[in-house]
Amino acid sequence: MSDYNWCHNPDCHTIETQSRVRGTGDNKVLRTMKIKQGRYNYSNDDTPDIYDYFCNQNCLHQFLRKFAREVANIRPVREPSETPIKIEKEQYESYRYQHNGNDYVRTPYQATRTTIINKNSS
Ligand SMILES: [Zn+2]
């Protein structure tokens, strides 16, 4: 396993920053950024991290814009998923502000709060 990746944004090497400048004398180039694997893996495990493959958010989002269809086709979603839950509805007194021509008047009303109290596992 190599300890470094090259940034996967195909246009990384066209972004003008001092950190990308390589070469000597008159033979200067902008080079794709080199990324140390696990640089944000503070738990030192095998957790994959998107920033092992992209040098920053800008390069990640340039890649996603360019390859949006390909990325979506890696795991197509053709119907919504659902998570079974239990809810609790609760009445409480709230206020709204209504304009009466000159002022805003604080008017009480009976509001409903819906709380998710149970999320089934699996
Ligand atoms: Zn990059």
Side-chain angles (χ1 to χ4, degrees):
M1 173 180 120
S2 87
D3 294 324
Y4 291 89
N5 288 327
W6 297 105
C7 179
H8 280 48
N9 174 13
D11 298 322
C12 185
H13 69 285
T14 65
I15 300 168
E16 295 179 13
T17 63
Q18 291 187 9
S19 58
R20 287 175 171 84
V21 175
R22 294 292 184 275
T24 55
D26 289 335
N27 299 312
K28 298 286 190 198
V29 296
L30 292 169
R31 183 180 292 165
T32 300
M33 292 293 287
K34 190 178 187 181
I35 300 160
K36 188 178 185 347
Q37 285 184 23
R39 62 187 167 149
Y40 298 129
N41 182 359
Y42 301 115
S43 52
N44 285 317
D45 54 16
D46 278 347
T47 308
D49 190 290
I50 197 65
Y51 292 108
D52 283 347
Y53 303 97
F54 296 94
C55 65
N56 59 31
Q57 283 187 50
N58 182 36
C59 275
L60 170 59
H61 284 271
Q62 282 188 4
F63 177 92
L64 290 174
R65 271 192 296 279
K66 191 165 193 169
F67 297 109
R69 285 197 184 90
E70 288 89 339
V71 169
N73 285 332
I74 291 169
R75 189 184 173 282
V77 178
R78 306 199 188 289
E79 58 188 39
S81 300
E82 294 180 346
T83 302
I85 57 166
K86 300 256 188 293
I87 61 162
E88 200 172 72
K89 284 195 181 276
E90 183 185 352
Q91 302 289 313
Y92 68 101
E93 186 166 286
S94 186
Y95 301 91
R96 61 171 60 104
Y97 289 85
Q98 291 176 313
H99 203 253
N100 66 5
N102 297 319
D103 276 324
Y104 285 95
V105 180
R106 185 174 143 124
T107 312
Y109 76 101
Q110 201 64 24
T112 304
R113 178 184 294 123
T114 303
T115 308
I116 298 170
I117 53 170
N118 166 291
K119 198 157 88 171
N120 293 345
S121 52
S122 91

